[in-house]
Amino acid sequence: GEHFIVFNENHDLPGNRPGGERLAALVELPALKLAAATVLLSPYVPMLFMGEEYGEDAPFYFFSDYQDPATTAGLVEGRRQQFATFRFEGEVHDPQEEALFLKSKLCWEQRGEGWHRILLLWYRELIRLRREHPLLADLSKHRMRVDVLGSKGLAVYRYSSGGERHLVCLFNFSAELELYAEIGYAVAVGGQWRKLLSSADLPAAIAAGGTVRLPPQTVAVYELNPLWEPPGLAAGQTTGR
């Protein structure tokens, strides 16, 4: 887990689209929250692309400042061939144009506005949970189990070495269908699973062996008989976009 880097986007992904679209320009807030949780709750080293944490929606183009004419001569044609290979449609920009660089600059003021601010707070709480909770801070995959939920869901269980602590991360990747997750059926410990984090309004606690209904594009984290106090997160507060 400590050797592999995971991410939702980097400079290549928007940079190699004709319009330079970032993820935030392609999907809505629930999907952005789910994508963030998928990376930050994973047992790998997460990487965030600049502005991803608040949903920067300015494009990020491939731009360049080459000085050698031999290098710049084939840039546009090379991009045209690349887009054709991926069946992209759209204008092929000259990477040498300064305007392309200027359009790719971050709009930092977005961080404090509307859904951008909501997403930034979500990232902060995910990072805090990952850093402070001992089961999520552990990058070893020896004490975890992953169950498939339906066709588009996952339940990722994490355990302490002594078996006294249990945590589950529930993901519904479907944009349309609800999923029902029976949590803790394989854990021979009674008690309650208490919610530490969720991107939708879900029950604060579930009895061991109980079922959680996950709306489309939802993530939730529950801990069994928790010993760790969750941060002060308005977990169920969501705002549509």
Side-chain angles (χ1 to χ4, degrees):
E2 69 275 11
H3 289 163
F4 288 90
I5 297 174
V6 292
F7 54 90
N8 288 315
E9 60 182 334
N10 61 4
H11 65 285
D12 280 327
L13 296 175
N16 287 322
R17 297 177 64 90
E21 298 94 346
R22 295 166 174 266
L23 185 62
L26 300 172
V27 301
E28 302 294 325
L29 182 59
L32 292 175
K33 284 187 169 184
L34 178 59
T38 304
V39 166
L40 290 171
L41 297 177
S42 72
Y44 299 99
V45 179
M47 182 183 76
L48 304 182
F49 184 55
M50 56 182 192
E52 179 183 349
E53 70 278 7
Y54 62 87
E56 175 66 62
D57 50 13
F60 184 83
Y61 294 103
F62 168 63
F63 53 84
S64 60
D65 188 26
Y66 297 121
Q67 302 302 309
D68 182 5
T71 303
T72 61
L75 279 177
V76 174
E77 181 57 31
R79 298 286 285 173
R80 183 175 287 110
Q81 293 176 8
Q82 179 185 18
F83 293 162
T85 300
F86 288 102
R87 299 182 181 179
F88 284 154
E89 296 181 358
E91 180 184 358
V92 178
H93 300 284
D94 184 353
Q96 294 286 109
E97 292 181 1
E98 184 180 5
L100 217 58
F101 162 71
L102 296 176
K103 290 178 181 178
S104 301
K105 285 192 171 185
L106 297 177
C107 302
W108 287 106
E109 64 276 7
Q110 289 184 343
R111 292 180 298 172
E113 302 172 353
W115 66 269
H116 297 283
R117 181 175 181 274
I118 294 171
L119 185 60
L120 178 61
L121 293 175
W122 175 252
Y123 266 91
R124 286 177 176 173
E125 295 303 334
L126 282 170
I127 293 171
R128 180 175 174 179
L129 182 62
R130 175 190 175 95
R131 182 180 65 244
E132 295 182 0
H133 197 291
L135 296 184
L136 293 173
D138 181 9
L139 299 185
S140 169
K141 294 188 287 296
H142 296 297
R143 292 179 294 277
M144 67 180 298
R145 189 184 81 244
V146 180
D147 296 334
V148 176
L149 302 176
S151 62
K152 294 188 177 181
L154 289 176
V156 182
Y157 288 89
R158 309 288 291 271
Y159 306 97
S160 60
S161 58
E164 69 279 3
R165 307 191 70 166
H166 306 267
L167 179 142
V168 63
C169 302
L170 304 171
F171 302 90
N172 182 0
F173 296 104
S174 172
E176 302 171 350
L177 302 177
E178 293 184 340
L179 289 178
Y180 291 85
E182 182 183 356
I183 62 173
Y185 62 87
V187 179
V189 180
Q192 282 196 328
W193 291 82
R194 191 175 73 180
K195 182 174 67 176
L196 302 183
L197 181 82
S198 72
S199 60
D201 187 10
L202 297 179
I206 301 291
T211 300
V212 180
R213 180 184 61 84
L214 296 173
Q217 295 183 330
T218 295
V219 58
V221 181
Y222 283 85
E223 184 176 15
L224 181 64
N225 301 324
L227 302 174
W228 181 85
E229 288 296 325
L233 169 70
Q237 295 183 5
T238 59
T239 300
R241 177 188 157 202

